Amino acid sequence: MKIAVDAMGGDFAPDAIIEGVLMAAAELPENVAIVLIGKQAIMQELIKKYNTEAVASIELVNADDVIDMSEHPTKALSQKPNSSIGVGFKLLKEGKVQAFCSAGNTGAMHVGALFSIKAIEGILRPCIAGFVPQLTGGYAVMLDIGANADCKPEMLAQFGHIGSIYAQSTFNIAKPRVALMNIGSEEQKGSLVAQAAHQLLKENHRINFIGNIEGGDFFGGHADVIITDGFTGNTMFKLGESFYKVAAQRGISDEFLDKTNYESVGGSPILGVNGNVIIAHGISSPLAIKNMISLAIRQVESDAYTKIAQALS
């Protein structure tokens, strides 16, 4: 298994990325290698600085260009085919790596996935999944957390289906509980879109739909898959992540709140595309990068995207 990592993407790249990759490489299973993509001379210089034996499980691939965080995704990808993101998707499309991870331009990662490995046939819109820690233990998968700010009811219903398959495959949950985020638990509550999505989810007998949940249930362990539009999902997810920061500023140390720290999982997968693509925070630290690589390995092993494709065929 080969996991490709964009060395040049992120606010603290390439230093934080390479340090995180070396941390991950020191603990990799024997059958896993990391492919680091970026400016060769810079990568070699930084790796040499750490003087670690973990380098044996790292392969360097040169990419002369970098897509900046503020660049227009589509224009940047077309004008910079030899960027670290462009090269990463080329390797993924050709099957030379089994996953591609980046803390770089989120839009370029999303567009790159759609242009290279493409959406799974039957997917209305690929989405980004986030992991919400639960007070009962483990994580709930929430989708969408930012790819689609506006969603039609049919899209939300499909998120429920693919989220259920992902939770089954990646977390080994036999019958994931799927819930729709809403402003009330009653069936008739919410916007017209939410009400219509509720009916579609209710009618889908391939999933274990348990109805609506409210914001107060976010961490409560009521669901394994939480469905919402990308605008609401992104807002809630970032609010959840802020709890760790607030607790740390107030000198509070708590095992559960530690899990709301973005570093604890390290990345978010794009679901609904023909491959494994993981997006990390732009502010990613070495620990976040290390954990992102662990997530990528688990996702490759689960073969979730293939199972989603089979379910929709």
Side-chain angles (χ1 to χ4, degrees), residues 65-128:
D65 292 326
V66 178
I67 294 177
D68 295 329
M69 300 297 255
S70 59
E71 286 191 74
H72 186 278
T74 308
K75 189 183 292 184
L77 282 165
S78 62
Q79 292 177 349
K80 296 180 175 179
N82 199 34
S83 63
S84 51
I85 289 179
V87 172
F89 277 117
K90 184 173 183 289
L91 293 174
L92 186 62
K93 183 181 178 181
E94 292 172 352
K96 292 177 180 175
V97 299
Q98 282 65 58
F100 177 43
C101 311
S102 176
N105 187 307
T106 300
M109 287 295 289
H110 197 75
V111 171
L114 292 174
F115 281 3
S116 59
I117 54 175
K118 300 187 176 3
I120 291 167
E121 189 173 351
I123 288 288
L124 300 172
R125 289 280 184 87
C127 58
I128 301 173

Short mmCIF file of all heavy atoms in Angstrom, two decimals, residues 65-128:
data_model
loop_
_atom_site.label_atom_id
_atom_site.label_comp_id
_atom_site.label_asym_id
_atom_site.label_seq_id
_atom_site.Cartn_x
_atom_site.Cartn_y
_atom_site.Cartn_z
N ASP A 65 5.81 22.78 -9.03
CA ASP A 65 4.89 23.88 -8.71
C ASP A 65 4.10 23.63 -7.43
O ASP A 65 3.97 22.49 -6.99
CB ASP A 65 3.91 24.10 -9.87
CG ASP A 65 4.58 24.64 -11.11
OD1 ASP A 65 5.54 25.41 -10.97
OD2 ASP A 65 4.16 24.27 -12.22
N VAL A 66 3.56 24.71 -6.90
CA VAL A 66 2.71 24.65 -5.70
C VAL A 66 1.45 25.46 -5.95
O VAL A 66 1.52 26.58 -6.46
CB VAL A 66 3.44 25.23 -4.46
CG1 VAL A 66 2.54 25.20 -3.23
CG2 VAL A 66 4.73 24.47 -4.19
N ILE A 67 0.29 24.90 -5.62
CA ILE A 67 -0.97 25.64 -5.69
C ILE A 67 -1.17 26.32 -4.34
O ILE A 67 -1.29 25.66 -3.31
CB ILE A 67 -2.16 24.72 -6.01
CG1 ILE A 67 -2.00 24.15 -7.43
CG2 ILE A 67 -3.49 25.47 -5.89
CD1 ILE A 67 -3.08 23.16 -7.84
N ASP A 68 -1.18 27.65 -4.35
CA ASP A 68 -1.33 28.41 -3.10
C ASP A 68 -2.76 28.29 -2.57
O ASP A 68 -3.70 27.99 -3.31
CB ASP A 68 -1.00 29.88 -3.32
CG ASP A 68 0.48 30.08 -3.68
OD1 ASP A 68 1.30 29.28 -3.21
OD2 ASP A 68 0.78 31.02 -4.45
N MET A 69 -2.91 28.54 -1.29
CA MET A 69 -4.21 28.40 -0.63
C MET A 69 -5.28 29.33 -1.23
O MET A 69 -6.45 29.00 -1.23
CB MET A 69 -4.07 28.68 0.87
CG MET A 69 -3.12 27.75 1.59
SD MET A 69 -3.67 26.03 1.56
CE MET A 69 -4.25 25.82 3.22
N SER A 70 -4.85 30.48 -1.73
CA SER A 70 -5.82 31.47 -2.20
C SER A 70 -6.10 31.37 -3.71
O SER A 70 -6.94 32.10 -4.23
CB SER A 70 -5.29 32.88 -1.89
OG SER A 70 -4.02 33.08 -2.51
N GLU A 71 -5.43 30.47 -4.41
CA GLU A 71 -5.62 30.37 -5.86
C GLU A 71 -6.96 29.76 -6.23
O GLU A 71 -7.51 28.93 -5.50
CB GLU A 71 -4.49 29.53 -6.48
CG GLU A 71 -3.16 30.24 -6.55
CD GLU A 71 -2.14 29.49 -7.41
OE1 GLU A 71 -2.28 29.50 -8.64
OE2 GLU A 71 -1.23 28.89 -6.83
N HIS A 72 -7.46 30.15 -7.41
CA HIS A 72 -8.71 29.59 -7.92
C HIS A 72 -8.46 28.13 -8.29
O HIS A 72 -7.57 27.83 -9.10
CB HIS A 72 -9.17 30.37 -9.16
CG HIS A 72 -10.51 29.95 -9.65
ND1 HIS A 72 -10.69 28.85 -10.46
CD2 HIS A 72 -11.74 30.48 -9.44
CE1 HIS A 72 -11.98 28.71 -10.73
NE2 HIS A 72 -12.64 29.69 -10.12
N PRO A 73 -9.22 27.18 -7.73
CA PRO A 73 -8.92 25.75 -7.90
C PRO A 73 -8.81 25.27 -9.35
O PRO A 73 -7.80 24.68 -9.72
CB PRO A 73 -10.09 25.07 -7.18
CG PRO A 73 -10.58 26.07 -6.21
CD PRO A 73 -10.36 27.39 -6.84
N THR A 74 -9.83 25.55 -10.15
CA THR A 74 -9.86 25.04 -11.52
C THR A 74 -8.74 25.64 -12.36
O THR A 74 -8.03 24.94 -13.09
CB THR A 74 -11.23 25.32 -12.18
OG1 THR A 74 -12.26 24.85 -11.31
CG2 THR A 74 -11.34 24.63 -13.52
N LYS A 75 -8.57 26.97 -12.23
CA LYS A 75 -7.53 27.65 -13.00
C LYS A 75 -6.14 27.16 -12.59
O LYS A 75 -5.28 26.90 -13.43
CB LYS A 75 -7.65 29.17 -12.77
CG LYS A 75 -6.75 29.99 -13.69
CD LYS A 75 -6.85 31.49 -13.38
CE LYS A 75 -8.20 32.05 -13.73
NZ LYS A 75 -8.23 33.53 -13.51
N ALA A 76 -5.93 27.01 -11.29
CA ALA A 76 -4.62 26.58 -10.79
C ALA A 76 -4.27 25.17 -11.27
O ALA A 76 -3.14 24.90 -11.67
CB ALA A 76 -4.60 26.64 -9.26
N LEU A 77 -5.24 24.27 -11.24
CA LEU A 77 -4.99 22.89 -11.68
C LEU A 77 -4.65 22.82 -13.16
O LEU A 77 -3.79 22.05 -13.58
CB LEU A 77 -6.20 22.00 -11.37
CG LEU A 77 -6.33 21.55 -9.91
CD1 LEU A 77 -7.72 21.00 -9.64
CD2 LEU A 77 -5.28 20.50 -9.56
N SER A 78 -5.34 23.64 -13.97
CA SER A 78 -5.08 23.61 -15.42
C SER A 78 -3.75 24.29 -15.76
O SER A 78 -3.05 23.86 -16.68
CB SER A 78 -6.24 24.28 -16.17
OG SER A 78 -6.34 25.65 -15.80
N GLN A 79 -3.39 25.33 -15.01
CA GLN A 79 -2.16 26.07 -15.29
C GLN A 79 -0.93 25.46 -14.62
O GLN A 79 0.20 25.72 -15.04
CB GLN A 79 -2.32 27.53 -14.83
CG GLN A 79 -3.33 28.32 -15.67
CD GLN A 79 -3.52 29.74 -15.17
OE1 GLN A 79 -3.06 30.09 -14.08
NE2 GLN A 79 -4.21 30.55 -15.95
N LYS A 80 -1.15 24.63 -13.60
CA LYS A 80 -0.02 24.02 -12.88
C LYS A 80 -0.18 22.49 -12.80
O LYS A 80 -0.37 21.93 -11.71
CB LYS A 80 0.07 24.60 -11.46
CG LYS A 80 0.39 26.09 -11.41
CD LYS A 80 0.46 26.57 -9.96
CE LYS A 80 0.89 28.03 -9.87
NZ LYS A 80 0.94 28.50 -8.45
N PRO A 81 -0.10 21.82 -13.95
CA PRO A 81 -0.26 20.35 -13.93
C PRO A 81 0.85 19.65 -13.14
O PRO A 81 0.68 18.53 -12.69
CB PRO A 81 -0.22 19.97 -15.41
CG PRO A 81 0.52 21.10 -16.07
CD PRO A 81 0.14 22.33 -15.31
N ASN A 82 2.00 20.34 -13.01
CA ASN A 82 3.12 19.74 -12.28
C ASN A 82 3.20 20.26 -10.84
O ASN A 82 4.26 20.28 -10.23
CB ASN A 82 4.45 20.00 -13.01
CG ASN A 82 5.53 19.03 -12.55
OD1 ASN A 82 5.26 17.88 -12.25
ND2 ASN A 82 6.77 19.51 -12.48
N SER A 83 2.04 20.67 -10.31
CA SER A 83 1.98 21.06 -8.89
C SER A 83 1.94 19.79 -8.06
O SER A 83 1.65 18.70 -8.56
CB SER A 83 0.73 21.89 -8.62
OG SER A 83 -0.43 21.12 -8.87
N SER A 84 2.20 19.92 -6.76
CA SER A 84 2.16 18.75 -5.88
C SER A 84 0.76 18.12 -5.86
O SER A 84 0.62 16.89 -5.82
CB SER A 84 2.61 19.13 -4.47
OG SER A 84 1.91 20.26 -3.99
N ILE A 85 -0.29 18.94 -5.94
CA ILE A 85 -1.66 18.40 -5.97
C ILE A 85 -1.93 17.73 -7.31
O ILE A 85 -2.48 16.63 -7.38
CB ILE A 85 -2.70 19.51 -5.68
CG1 ILE A 85 -2.62 19.92 -4.20
CG2 ILE A 85 -4.12 19.04 -6.03
CD1 ILE A 85 -3.58 21.02 -3.80
N GLY A 86 -1.50 18.37 -8.40
CA GLY A 86 -1.69 17.79 -9.74
C GLY A 86 -0.99 16.46 -9.89
O GLY A 86 -1.56 15.48 -10.41
N VAL A 87 0.25 16.37 -9.41
CA VAL A 87 1.02 15.12 -9.50
C VAL A 87 0.40 14.05 -8.61
O VAL A 87 0.32 12.87 -8.98
CB VAL A 87 2.50 15.37 -9.11
CG1 VAL A 87 3.26 14.05 -8.99
CG2 VAL A 87 3.17 16.28 -10.14
N GLY A 88 -0.08 14.45 -7.43
CA GLY A 88 -0.72 13.50 -6.52
C GLY A 88 -1.92 12.83 -7.15
O GLY A 88 -2.08 11.60 -7.05
N PHE A 89 -2.77 13.62 -7.80
CA PHE A 89 -3.95 13.04 -8.44
C PHE A 89 -3.59 12.19 -9.66
O PHE A 89 -4.26 11.21 -9.95
CB PHE A 89 -4.96 14.14 -8.82
CG PHE A 89 -5.83 14.54 -7.67
CD1 PHE A 89 -5.80 15.83 -7.16
CD2 PHE A 89 -6.69 13.62 -7.08
CE1 PHE A 89 -6.60 16.18 -6.08
CE2 PHE A 89 -7.50 13.97 -6.00
CZ PHE A 89 -7.45 15.26 -5.51
N LYS A 90 -2.51 12.56 -10.35
CA LYS A 90 -2.05 11.74 -11.48
C LYS A 90 -1.63 10.35 -10.99
O LYS A 90 -1.99 9.33 -11.58
CB LYS A 90 -0.87 12.44 -12.18
CG LYS A 90 -0.36 11.74 -13.43
CD LYS A 90 0.70 12.61 -14.12
CE LYS A 90 1.17 11.97 -15.42
NZ LYS A 90 2.01 10.77 -15.19
N LEU A 91 -0.89 10.31 -9.89
CA LEU A 91 -0.46 9.03 -9.31
C LEU A 91 -1.65 8.21 -8.84
O LEU A 91 -1.69 6.99 -9.01
CB LEU A 91 0.50 9.27 -8.14
CG LEU A 91 1.86 9.89 -8.47
CD1 LEU A 91 2.63 10.19 -7.18
CD2 LEU A 91 2.68 8.97 -9.36
N LEU A 92 -2.65 8.89 -8.24
CA LEU A 92 -3.84 8.19 -7.76
C LEU A 92 -4.65 7.62 -8.92
O LEU A 92 -5.09 6.46 -8.88
CB LEU A 92 -4.70 9.15 -6.93
CG LEU A 92 -5.92 8.55 -6.22
CD1 LEU A 92 -5.49 7.49 -5.19
CD2 LEU A 92 -6.75 9.64 -5.55
N LYS A 93 -4.81 8.41 -9.97
CA LYS A 93 -5.56 7.96 -11.14
C LYS A 93 -4.89 6.77 -11.81
O LYS A 93 -5.56 5.83 -12.29
CB LYS A 93 -5.69 9.12 -12.14
CG LYS A 93 -6.51 8.78 -13.38
CD LYS A 93 -6.57 9.95 -14.34
CE LYS A 93 -7.36 9.59 -15.60
NZ LYS A 93 -7.39 10.73 -16.57
N GLU A 94 -3.56 6.77 -11.85
CA GLU A 94 -2.81 5.69 -12.50
C GLU A 94 -2.67 4.45 -11.62
O GLU A 94 -2.10 3.44 -12.03
CB GLU A 94 -1.42 6.19 -12.90
CG GLU A 94 -1.46 7.24 -14.02
CD GLU A 94 -0.10 7.88 -14.28
OE1 GLU A 94 0.84 7.63 -13.49
OE2 GLU A 94 0.02 8.64 -15.26
N GLY A 95 -3.17 4.53 -10.39
CA GLY A 95 -3.10 3.39 -9.48
C GLY A 95 -1.73 3.16 -8.86
O GLY A 95 -1.47 2.11 -8.28
N LYS A 96 -0.86 4.17 -8.96
CA LYS A 96 0.49 4.03 -8.38
C LYS A 96 0.49 4.29 -6.87
O LYS A 96 1.45 3.93 -6.19
CB LYS A 96 1.45 4.98 -9.10
CG LYS A 96 1.69 4.57 -10.56
CD LYS A 96 2.59 5.55 -11.28
CE LYS A 96 2.80 5.12 -12.74
NZ LYS A 96 3.59 6.13 -13.49
N VAL A 97 -0.56 4.95 -6.39
CA VAL A 97 -0.77 5.11 -4.95
C VAL A 97 -2.22 4.76 -4.66
O VAL A 97 -3.07 4.81 -5.55
CB VAL A 97 -0.45 6.55 -4.46
CG1 VAL A 97 1.00 6.92 -4.73
CG2 VAL A 97 -1.38 7.58 -5.10
N GLN A 98 -2.51 4.39 -3.43
CA GLN A 98 -3.88 3.97 -3.08
C GLN A 98 -4.67 5.06 -2.35
O GLN A 98 -5.87 4.93 -2.16
CB GLN A 98 -3.83 2.70 -2.20
CG GLN A 98 -3.58 1.43 -2.99
CD GLN A 98 -2.20 1.41 -3.63
OE1 GLN A 98 -1.18 1.52 -2.93
NE2 GLN A 98 -2.14 1.29 -4.95
N ALA A 99 -3.98 6.13 -1.96
CA ALA A 99 -4.66 7.26 -1.33
C ALA A 99 -3.81 8.50 -1.54
O ALA A 99 -2.59 8.41 -1.68
CB ALA A 99 -4.87 7.02 0.16
N PHE A 100 -4.48 9.67 -1.58
CA PHE A 100 -3.76 10.94 -1.70
C PHE A 100 -4.27 11.89 -0.63
O PHE A 100 -5.47 12.10 -0.48
CB PHE A 100 -3.96 11.53 -3.10
CG PHE A 100 -3.32 12.89 -3.29
CD1 PHE A 100 -2.04 13.15 -2.81
CD2 PHE A 100 -4.00 13.91 -3.94
CE1 PHE A 100 -1.45 14.40 -2.96
CE2 PHE A 100 -3.41 15.16 -4.11
CZ PHE A 100 -2.14 15.40 -3.61
N CYS A 101 -3.33 12.46 0.13
CA CYS A 101 -3.66 13.33 1.27
C CYS A 101 -3.00 14.70 1.10
O CYS A 101 -1.85 14.78 0.66
CB CYS A 101 -3.15 12.72 2.57
SG CYS A 101 -3.56 10.99 2.83
N SER A 102 -3.73 15.76 1.49
CA SER A 102 -3.14 17.09 1.42
C SER A 102 -3.78 18.03 2.42
O SER A 102 -4.98 17.95 2.68
CB SER A 102 -3.31 17.67 0.01
OG SER A 102 -2.81 19.01 -0.05
N ALA A 103 -2.97 18.93 2.97
CA ALA A 103 -3.46 20.02 3.82
C ALA A 103 -3.50 21.32 3.01
O ALA A 103 -3.65 22.40 3.57
CB ALA A 103 -2.55 20.20 5.03
N GLY A 104 -3.39 21.19 1.70
CA GLY A 104 -3.36 22.36 0.81
C GLY A 104 -4.74 22.88 0.44
O GLY A 104 -5.73 22.63 1.15
N ASN A 105 -4.82 23.56 -0.68
CA ASN A 105 -6.04 24.21 -1.17
C ASN A 105 -7.20 23.20 -1.25
O ASN A 105 -7.20 22.30 -2.08
CB ASN A 105 -5.72 24.80 -2.55
CG ASN A 105 -6.83 25.65 -3.11
OD1 ASN A 105 -7.97 25.22 -3.19
ND2 ASN A 105 -6.50 26.85 -3.54
N THR A 106 -8.20 23.36 -0.38
CA THR A 106 -9.33 22.42 -0.32
C THR A 106 -10.10 22.37 -1.63
O THR A 106 -10.48 21.30 -2.10
CB THR A 106 -10.28 22.80 0.84
OG1 THR A 106 -9.56 22.75 2.07
CG2 THR A 106 -11.45 21.84 0.92
N GLY A 107 -10.33 23.55 -2.22
CA GLY A 107 -11.04 23.60 -3.49
C GLY A 107 -10.30 22.84 -4.58
O GLY A 107 -10.91 22.11 -5.37
N ALA A 108 -8.98 22.99 -4.63
CA ALA A 108 -8.17 22.28 -5.63
C ALA A 108 -8.22 20.78 -5.40
O ALA A 108 -8.23 19.99 -6.36
CB ALA A 108 -6.73 22.78 -5.60
N MET A 109 -8.26 20.35 -4.16
CA MET A 109 -8.37 18.92 -3.86
C MET A 109 -9.71 18.39 -4.31
O MET A 109 -9.80 17.29 -4.89
CB MET A 109 -8.19 18.69 -2.35
CG MET A 109 -6.76 18.84 -1.86
SD MET A 109 -5.64 17.58 -2.56
CE MET A 109 -6.19 16.11 -1.71
N HIS A 110 -10.77 19.14 -4.08
CA HIS A 110 -12.11 18.69 -4.48
C HIS A 110 -12.25 18.65 -6.00
O HIS A 110 -12.70 17.66 -6.56
CB HIS A 110 -13.16 19.62 -3.87
CG HIS A 110 -14.54 19.05 -3.87
ND1 HIS A 110 -14.94 18.06 -3.00
CD2 HIS A 110 -15.61 19.31 -4.65
CE1 HIS A 110 -16.20 17.74 -3.24
NE2 HIS A 110 -16.63 18.49 -4.23
N VAL A 111 -11.83 19.73 -6.65
CA VAL A 111 -11.89 19.79 -8.11
C VAL A 111 -10.96 18.76 -8.73
O VAL A 111 -11.31 18.09 -9.71
CB VAL A 111 -11.54 21.22 -8.61
CG1 VAL A 111 -11.40 21.25 -10.13
CG2 VAL A 111 -12.60 22.22 -8.17
N GLY A 112 -9.77 18.60 -8.16
CA GLY A 112 -8.81 17.61 -8.67
C GLY A 112 -9.37 16.21 -8.63
O GLY A 112 -9.18 15.42 -9.56
N ALA A 113 -10.08 15.88 -7.55
CA ALA A 113 -10.70 14.56 -7.44
C ALA A 113 -11.75 14.37 -8.53
O ALA A 113 -11.83 13.31 -9.18
CB ALA A 113 -11.33 14.38 -6.06
N LEU A 114 -12.57 15.40 -8.77
CA LEU A 114 -13.63 15.29 -9.78
C LEU A 114 -13.07 15.20 -11.20
O LEU A 114 -13.62 14.50 -12.05
CB LEU A 114 -14.57 16.50 -9.68
CG LEU A 114 -15.44 16.57 -8.42
CD1 LEU A 114 -16.21 17.88 -8.37
CD2 LEU A 114 -16.39 15.39 -8.36
N PHE A 115 -11.94 15.88 -11.44
CA PHE A 115 -11.34 15.88 -12.78
C PHE A 115 -10.53 14.62 -13.06
O PHE A 115 -10.40 14.19 -14.20
CB PHE A 115 -10.44 17.10 -12.96
CG PHE A 115 -11.19 18.37 -13.27
CD1 PHE A 115 -12.57 18.40 -13.31
CD2 PHE A 115 -10.51 19.56 -13.54
CE1 PHE A 115 -13.26 19.57 -13.59
CE2 PHE A 115 -11.18 20.74 -13.83
CZ PHE A 115 -12.57 20.73 -13.85
N SER A 116 -9.94 14.03 -12.03
CA SER A 116 -9.03 12.89 -12.24
C SER A 116 -9.73 11.55 -12.04
O SER A 116 -10.05 10.85 -13.00
CB SER A 116 -7.80 13.01 -11.34
OG SER A 116 -8.18 13.05 -9.98
N ILE A 117 -9.98 11.20 -10.79
CA ILE A 117 -10.60 9.89 -10.52
C ILE A 117 -12.12 9.93 -10.72
O ILE A 117 -12.76 8.89 -10.83
CB ILE A 117 -10.26 9.40 -9.10
CG1 ILE A 117 -10.62 10.45 -8.06
CG2 ILE A 117 -8.79 9.01 -9.01
CD1 ILE A 117 -10.43 9.99 -6.62
N LYS A 118 -12.69 11.13 -10.75
CA LYS A 118 -14.10 11.37 -11.07
C LYS A 118 -15.07 10.82 -10.00
O LYS A 118 -14.71 9.99 -9.18
CB LYS A 118 -14.47 10.80 -12.45
CG LYS A 118 -13.64 11.43 -13.57
CD LYS A 118 -14.12 11.00 -14.93
CE LYS A 118 -13.42 11.65 -16.10
NZ LYS A 118 -12.33 12.55 -15.87
N ALA A 119 -16.30 11.34 -10.08
CA ALA A 119 -17.34 10.90 -9.16
C ALA A 119 -17.79 9.49 -9.52
O ALA A 119 -17.77 9.09 -10.69
CB ALA A 119 -18.53 11.85 -9.21
N ILE A 120 -18.17 8.72 -8.52
CA ILE A 120 -18.75 7.39 -8.74
C ILE A 120 -20.05 7.56 -9.52
O ILE A 120 -20.83 8.48 -9.25
CB ILE A 120 -19.02 6.71 -7.38
CG1 ILE A 120 -17.69 6.36 -6.69
CG2 ILE A 120 -19.89 5.46 -7.54
CD1 ILE A 120 -17.84 5.96 -5.23
N GLU A 121 -20.27 6.68 -10.48
CA GLU A 121 -21.49 6.75 -11.28
C GLU A 121 -22.72 6.63 -10.38
O GLU A 121 -22.81 5.73 -9.55
CB GLU A 121 -21.51 5.63 -12.32
CG GLU A 121 -22.63 5.76 -13.34
CD GLU A 121 -22.55 4.75 -14.46
OE1 GLU A 121 -21.53 4.04 -14.56
OE2 GLU A 121 -23.52 4.66 -15.23
N GLY A 122 -23.64 7.57 -10.53
CA GLY A 122 -24.85 7.57 -9.71
C GLY A 122 -24.79 8.55 -8.54
O GLY A 122 -25.81 8.86 -7.92
N ILE A 123 -23.58 9.06 -8.25
CA ILE A 123 -23.44 10.05 -7.16
C ILE A 123 -23.92 11.41 -7.65
O ILE A 123 -23.48 11.90 -8.69
CB ILE A 123 -21.97 10.14 -6.68
CG1 ILE A 123 -21.58 8.89 -5.90
CG2 ILE A 123 -21.75 11.39 -5.83
CD1 ILE A 123 -22.20 8.77 -4.51
N LEU A 124 -24.84 12.02 -6.92
CA LEU A 124 -25.35 13.34 -7.29
C LEU A 124 -24.29 14.41 -7.04
O LEU A 124 -24.04 15.24 -7.90
CB LEU A 124 -26.62 13.65 -6.49
CG LEU A 124 -27.78 12.67 -6.69
CD1 LEU A 124 -28.90 12.97 -5.71
CD2 LEU A 124 -28.29 12.73 -8.14
N ARG A 125 -23.67 14.39 -5.87
CA ARG A 125 -22.58 15.31 -5.53
C ARG A 125 -21.67 14.65 -4.50
O ARG A 125 -22.14 14.24 -3.44
CB ARG A 125 -23.13 16.60 -4.90
CG ARG A 125 -23.87 17.53 -5.86
CD ARG A 125 -22.90 18.37 -6.68
NE ARG A 125 -23.61 19.30 -7.53
CZ ARG A 125 -24.00 20.52 -7.13
NH1 ARG A 125 -23.74 20.92 -5.91
NH2 ARG A 125 -24.65 21.31 -7.96
N PRO A 126 -20.37 14.53 -4.79
CA PRO A 126 -19.45 14.06 -3.75
C PRO A 126 -19.49 15.03 -2.57
O PRO A 126 -19.81 16.21 -2.72
CB PRO A 126 -18.09 14.09 -4.44
CG PRO A 126 -18.41 13.95 -5.90
CD PRO A 126 -19.69 14.72 -6.09
N CYS A 127 -19.18 14.53 -1.40
CA CYS A 127 -19.24 15.37 -0.20
C CYS A 127 -18.01 15.13 0.66
O CYS A 127 -17.21 14.22 0.39
CB CYS A 127 -20.51 15.06 0.60
SG CYS A 127 -20.63 13.33 1.09
N ILE A 128 -17.84 15.95 1.67
CA ILE A 128 -16.72 15.80 2.60
C ILE A 128 -17.28 15.32 3.93
O ILE A 128 -18.26 15.87 4.44
CB ILE A 128 -15.96 17.12 2.78
CG1 ILE A 128 -15.41 17.61 1.43
CG2 ILE A 128 -14.81 16.96 3.77
CD1 ILE A 128 -14.78 19.00 1.47
#
